[in-house]
Amino acid sequence: MPCRIDAMARTRSDKSEQMHEFLFWPTLITIAVVFGILQGTAGFLVYVERKVCAYMQNRIGPNRVGPYGLLQVLADVLKFLFKEETLPRKADMALFLLAPVLAFSTALLSFAVVPFGATEPAPLPPAPPAAIMQSATPLEKQQHALIEAEYKKKLQDYEAKVEVYRSSYQFIIAPNIDIGILFIFGISSLAVYGVILGGWSSNNKYSLVGALRASAQIISYEIPLGLSILGVLLITGSLNLERIIWNQAEQGFLGWNIFIQPVAFLLFMTSAFAECNRLPFDLPESEQELIGGYHTEYNAFKLAFFLLGEYVHMITTSFLMVILFFGGWHFPIIASPEAGWFLKLIVFAGKVTFFILFYMLIRWTIPRFRFDQLMALAWKVLIPLALVNLVMVMVVKEMAWPEWVLLPASLAAVVVAGAVALNAPPRPRDRRLKPAATDL
Amino acid sequence: MNEPTFDLTTYYPIFLYLVVILGFAAVAMVAVHLIGPRRRTAVKEMPYESGMDPIGDARQRFDVKFYLVAIMFLVFDVELLFLYPWAVVAYQEGGIPLVLRGPVFWGVLAFLAMLLIAYIYDWRKGVFKWR
């Protein structure tokens, strides 16, 4: 009712303004802690990655600096700091310096709306009753008065809840951002500028090829990434990440979205791997053919910015997988919605660690794709599957069928997709013999 | 129906965070520039091509396929932008009213069908073929 501003509506808006009061120092402390931990973790992950790689290849890995090589992180950082900075003479200097900053800051900024511990969504105000008409009968007026009274009671409840919400600490930099996941997608799609500017401005052929491949890959995989979560959004009805967690936690273990959206999870994970340029999708920087890809010409701390950005992106997508599909801080028996913040933090960290280690296991298990296979996977497999998944959720929601129907339906969709792929006519082989015009 | 409440105060932490990030990046860039040694030589500042002297410039023409991918991305991404608001309000209390759910459902299906036609056209035209 936009035209009706009565006393109650005014009190509500006053209250909601109070709810979003901006506390400078607590926010700054949260930011400092998250900023430090993210960078520390990103540095540490380089060490973990090398260790995991070493163990998988039956080696020992870094073990010289400190016990078990744990101080390797410090050594790496110091080396990045004190290394000579070379600036290629033919580079476009402004863009060359801007690119690593862009790559780094977009990766970090998207973490602003990601909950990393116990959070709860802000309470929603109750819906105000419809206005009464002038010509209402006395009976209707009486009924309306009852409704108004009920509404007032709800409003009081709501205000009490707001008080509780305001006095509890939320483990997130910017709580109650309603565009949550859209913000993350918006910011992280800016990362492609860091990559393409870095590659183009270096004025190096390897960099250019790497940047072109990277941008084609990143924008192609952004579509299945965005399409796959539409199903989750239809079920949850909110872009707010705290609310997405809460909706799953309320329904218990079987309420986790992975059980009703398994296909969406697979699509999301695959696209997230490609977005982070991780193997098996690391064509932008395939060392064997392109030296370092788009960051061939970078060294010293500018290279560190690119690497930090990549690892932070990996951490963020792991968080997103946990939040969207695995119930965030929720875990049956151990961390119910009533559990303390410490348990929730531990559970959350444990789940995210699992996914980060999974990233690394995949990296050292699966060989790299060819570029045409990579593009075909995005456009010919992931996008149609994501659309099928979306239509399935739409139909289930429209027909008001129970949500568990989606589990067998998803499995059936995968089986049908596999059957279609196996029975597809074979590709003409002679095309491959002809050399391509340009070999980018 | 809840009236939309938008409050910029919610977004202040993000702005603060952005300032911190950019401040860190700027300080780090300048500090590293000052700390590190600098011995400039002509060979060091050449573009790196595995030790060979680079032939020609890197400002060259490249495959038109990349352009096609960019156009396809635009089509699908704009479509996604339309679907997000719909997905959030479609089956929520205070979202699309019950009476309108049926028509909106068929409307979105028609929208997806139109997209499918474009998609099939592209496939048959060989836009997704990289060799």
Side-chain angles (χ1 to χ4, degrees):
Chain A
M1 304 291 138
C3 56
R4 177 169 158 266
I5 304 168
D6 57 5
M8 262 181 294
R10 230 176 291 129
T11 47
R12 190 172 77 235
S13 67
D14 289 347
K15 275 290 165 193
S16 65
E17 258 166 45
Q18 276 176 18
M19 193 167 82
H20 301 316
E21 193 186 9
F22 176 53
L23 305 159
F24 182 79
W25 289 108
T27 313
L28 194 65
I29 290 169
T30 312
I31 288 175
V33 170
V34 170
F35 192 72
I37 288 183
L38 265 186
Q39 297 210 47
T41 317
F44 187 64
L45 283 182
V46 179
Y47 163 78
V48 174
E49 175 115 58
R50 288 167 74 179
K51 270 288 184 199
V52 169
C53 162
Y55 285 131
M56 288 184 75
Q57 295 167 351
N58 212 357
R59 296 186 283 117
I60 298 172
N63 66 345
R64 292 288 134 181
V65 198
Y68 304 103
L70 273 170
L71 294 180
Q72 188 68 43
V73 189
L74 204 65
D76 287 346
V77 170
L78 285 179
K79 185 175 176 186
F80 274 132
L81 272 175
F82 292 105
K83 206 162 165 61
E84 176 177 0
E85 190 187 41
T86 50
L87 302 166
R89 200 169 356 100
K90 287 170 92 183
D92 190 319
M93 207 44 77
L95 297 181
F96 186 76
L97 295 177
L98 179 68
V101 176
L102 253 179
F104 168 78
S105 47
T106 51
L108 273 168
L109 189 63
S110 60
F111 202 79
V113 297
V114 176
F116 52 88
T119 50
E120 57 178 300
L124 287 177
I132 190 161
M133 272 184 269
Q134 290 295 325
S135 58
T137 59
L139 187 66
E140 275 173 352
K141 275 186 183 158
Q142 214 173 2
Q143 279 172 346
H144 192 260
L146 276 177
I147 294 172
E148 286 272 341
E150 202 182 328
Y151 172 63
K152 261 186 191 165
K153 199 159 163 269
K154 272 189 195 162
L155 207 61
Q156 274 171 359
D157 278 0
Y158 164 69
E159 277 161 18
K161 273 188 202 158
V162 168
E163 279 303 311
V164 174
Y165 174 75
R166 281 189 57 205
S167 60
S168 57
Y169 177 74
Q170 305 292 322
F171 285 76
I172 180 171
I173 291 175
N176 200 22
I177 296 279
D178 281 331
I179 56 166
I181 188 123
L182 206 54
F183 176 83
I184 295 177
F185 283 169
I187 295 293
S188 59
S189 55
L190 287 178
V192 73
Y193 286 106
V195 170
I196 197 156
L197 287 183
W200 184 81
S201 67
S202 306
N203 211 339
N204 176 321
K205 284 166 207 146
Y206 291 122
S207 302
L208 181 71
V209 175
L212 284 174
R213 279 184 179 185
S215 45
Q217 172 183 332
I218 292 176
I219 63 176
S220 296
Y221 277 87
E222 216 151 78
I223 297 160
L225 191 77
L227 272 177
S228 62
I229 64 153
L230 276 174
V232 175
L233 296 183
L234 270 175
I235 291 163
T236 313
S238 178
L239 293 165
N240 187 325
L241 291 172
E242 294 115 287
R243 204 171 295 285
I244 291 176
I245 296 179
W246 191 260
N247 274 20
Q248 297 174 65
E250 261 183 339
Q251 298 171 44
F253 181 57
L254 290 175
W256 288 8
N257 283 329
I258 178 73
F259 294 113
I260 38 181
Q261 288 284 285
V263 178
F265 169 66
L266 282 179
L267 297 175
F268 186 85
M269 191 176 68
T270 316
S271 326
F273 274 45
E275 287 283 300
C276 299
N277 299 334
R278 297 284 300 180
L279 230 115
F281 305 108
D282 74 335
L283 281 113
E285 44 187 299
S286 44
E287 302 94 326
Q288 289 84 354
E289 20 184 317
L290 291 179
I291 321 295
Y294 57 89
H295 52 58
T296 303
E297 289 290 341
Y298 284 93
N299 62 1
F301 217 70
K302 294 198 289 300
L303 177 65
F305 272 153
F306 274 119
L307 298 183
L308 274 178
E310 194 181 317
Y311 276 91
V312 170
H313 203 143
M314 197 169 122
I315 298 172
T316 312
T317 45
S318 299
F319 264 102
L320 278 185
M321 281 191 258
V322 170
I323 290 166
L324 291 170
F325 297 100
F326 289 88
W329 41 255
H330 176 258
F331 202 84
I333 305 166
I334 302 172
S336 60
E338 292 83 32
W341 61 270
F342 188 68
L343 266 179
K344 287 177 180 173
L345 197 66
I346 296 289
V347 166
F348 214 146
K351 284 182 188 174
V352 171
T353 312
F354 173 81
F355 277 104
I356 291 175
L357 287 178
F358 188 64
Y359 261 97
M360 290 176 180
L361 290 184
I362 292 284
R363 170 165 185 177
W364 300 110
T365 310
I366 300 181
R368 184 181 298 141
F369 279 92
R370 220 169 48 216
F371 198 68
D372 59 324
Q373 292 171 328
L374 175 94
M375 296 309 268
L377 180 68
W379 290 99
K380 296 184 177 172
V381 180
L382 297 186
I383 291 178
L385 258 181
L387 282 175
V388 167
N389 183 57
L390 171 66
V391 172
M392 280 192 318
V393 181
M394 269 172 76
V395 170
V396 166
K397 276 298 207 182
E398 180 66 23
M399 302 296 168
W401 288 334
E403 275 165 6
W404 60 260
V405 174
L406 282 169
L407 182 61
S410 301
L411 296 178
V414 171
V415 171
V416 170
V420 168
L422 285 178
N423 290 318
R427 287 168 38 159
R429 290 273 149 185
D430 56 334
R431 290 187 148 274
R432 289 222 210 132
L433 299 174
K434 273 190 256 167
T438 42
D439 210 11
L440 286 179
Chain B
M1 277 248 266
N2 299 336
E3 55 205 73
T5 49
F6 175 77
D7 198 353
L8 196 63
T9 330
T10 352
Y11 292 80
Y12 284 179
I14 294 183
F15 298 136
L16 186 63
Y17 188 42
L18 182 64
V19 170
V20 170
I21 292 170
L22 290 182
F24 175 84
V27 168
M29 291 285 269
V30 172
V32 169
H33 191 71
L34 296 179
I35 291 174
R38 277 209 291 165
R39 285 176 287 274
R40 308 171 61 165
T41 61
V43 175
K44 208 185 267 176
E45 293 181 349
M46 237 188 242
Y48 177 73
E49 274 187 25
S50 312
M52 309 293 283
D53 283 351
I55 303 164
D57 202 61
R59 303 275 180 266
Q60 293 179 357
R61 290 195 286 178
F62 49 82
D63 203 336
V64 72
K65 287 279 181 198
F66 290 106
Y67 185 66
L68 282 181
V69 168
I71 293 178
M72 285 304 294
F73 167 72
L74 265 188
V75 173
F76 275 87
D77 215 41
V78 170
E79 167 244 341
L80 260 182
L81 269 184
F82 281 120
L83 287 178
Y84 270 100
W86 160 77
V88 172
V89 295
Y91 296 102
Q92 254 18 70
E93 263 181 69
I96 297 175
L98 270 176
V99 207
L100 283 179
R101 280 188 190 172
V104 168
F105 173 76
W106 291 108
V108 172
L109 272 191
F111 182 66
L112 290 178
M114 269 193 288
L115 189 83
L116 197 68
I117 293 170
Y119 179 74
I120 292 169
Y121 175 78
D122 284 331
W123 191 321
R124 299 296 293 269
K125 275 282 177 188
V127 174
F128 306 138
K129 221 180 264 166
W130 274 82
R131 283 263 165 189

